[in-house]
Amino acid sequence: MAEYTFFFNPMSRAQIARWALHEAGADYEPVFVAWDAKPAELLAANPMGKLPTIIHHHKGHDHVVSEAAAVCHYLAEMTAPQLLPREEEKADYFRLLFFATGPLEQAVTNRAFGWNPDEKQELSVGFGNYDRTIAMLVAWFAERDYVCGPRFTMADVYVGSAVDWGLQFGTIPASDSLTAYAERLRGREAYQAGKSIDNALIAEMQVAQQD
C-alpha cells in the first residue's frame, strides 16, 4: 500500500495537492473521482465529497486530511520537513497561507460571481475589497521571490497555485511581480511533473466527452 491515498479529479483544486505530493516526494496512490460517481471510500473519509482529500496510512492508522492548504502543510510536516518554514519564516509563511485561503479566495470568487461589497459591507467581509486584496499580493511579491523571501516553502504551492490560476483565467490581473513569481514556480520540476499528469488526464477526458 502506498503511504498516501489521493482522491482527485484533474479539473479541480486537487491539482494543488498533486503538486504538493510531488514537491514532498510522497509515495501516493491516485484515485480518480468522477463528479457523478463519488466512491464510498471518499465519502466515508470526507462526507462533503470535496477534492482534494488524502488519507495518510501511518503507523497502522489512517489520517484524513482535506482542504488544499491543510493538505499542503500536512505533507510538509509529515514527509518533507525541508519545505516547512524556519523559525524566522513562520510569520510570513502562515500569514500568506491563510491570506490565500481566506481573503484572496473570497475576493476572487465573489468578484467572479459578480458580487462586490459596498463600503458598509467592506467592514464585515473578511477581504475588505478586491482591489486592496490584490494590491497586497502584488506588493508582497514585488519585494520577495517566494512567500518567505528567497527560499521556496510549501506555502508557495498553495499561494502560487492561486496566483498561477488567477493569471491563467484572468481572475487576478497580471503585474510584473506576480508574473515573475508564477514563472519561477512553473520552472520547478515538481510543478511540471504534476501538471503533465493532470493535463494529460484532462485531454483524455475531453476526448471521451466528444465520443
Side-chain angles (χ1 to χ4, degrees):
M1 175 183 286
E3 185 177 4
Y4 293 93
T5 299
F6 168 48
F7 296 98
F8 80 99
N9 186 296
M11 299 180 71
S12 77
R13 289 174 174 81
Q15 285 195 25
I16 303 171
R18 190 187 296 275
W19 178 14
L21 286 160
H22 283 262
E23 288 286 357
D27 173 32
Y28 73 92
E29 177 186 0
V31 178
F32 175 81
V33 176
W35 300 124
D36 58 352
K38 295 182 179 179
E41 186 182 7
L42 168 62
L43 295 174
N46 182 357
M48 291 184 69
K50 299 290 285 182
L51 304 174
T53 294
I54 64 171
I55 301 176
H56 186 196
H57 310 290
H58 181 65
K59 296 183 177 180
H61 300 279
D62 287 343
H63 305 283
V64 177
V65 187
S66 60
E67 313 313 319
V71 170
C72 289
H73 185 73
Y74 183 86
L75 287 167
E77 285 277 2
M78 302 303 296
T79 303
Q82 72 276 11
L83 295 176
L84 289 171
R86 298 167 182 158
E87 184 173 346
E88 68 276 12
E89 296 171 331
K90 286 184 177 181
D92 288 348
Y93 179 99
F94 286 110
R95 182 182 178 186
L96 259 287
L97 185 62
F98 286 99
F99 170 79
T101 61
L104 183 60
E105 172 85 8
Q106 292 175 29
V108 169
T109 301
N110 286 333
R111 187 179 181 90
F113 284 103
W115 185 73
N116 296 293
D118 59 33
E119 289 187 14
K120 184 176 181 180
Q121 291 168 331
E122 286 179 13
L123 299 174
S124 299
V125 297
F127 62 93
N129 69 41
Y130 175 87
D131 290 336
R132 288 204 303 273
T133 301
I134 298 301
M136 190 275 193
L137 194 66
V138 170
W140 190 272
F141 290 106
E143 299 179 350
R144 302 165 177 81
D145 287 344
Y146 299 101
V147 165
C148 295
R151 192 176 76 91
F152 179 93
T153 65
M154 191 60 93
D156 289 292
V157 174
Y158 188 83
V159 177
S161 291
V163 172
D164 188 28
W165 289 1
L167 294 176
Q168 181 181 351
F169 294 106
T171 56
I172 292 177
S175 67
D176 289 345
S177 66
L178 296 184
T179 299
Y181 176 53
E183 287 301 322
R184 284 189 287 274
L185 299 176
R186 292 166 187 162
R188 294 188 64 81
E189 183 178 348
Y191 173 98
Q192 294 172 3
K195 287 294 184 184
S196 66
I197 294 171
D198 285 322
N199 288 341
L201 290 169
I202 290 171
E204 291 177 11
M205 292 167 66
Q206 291 171 338
V207 170
Q209 289 174 354
Q210 295 171 359
D211 292 341

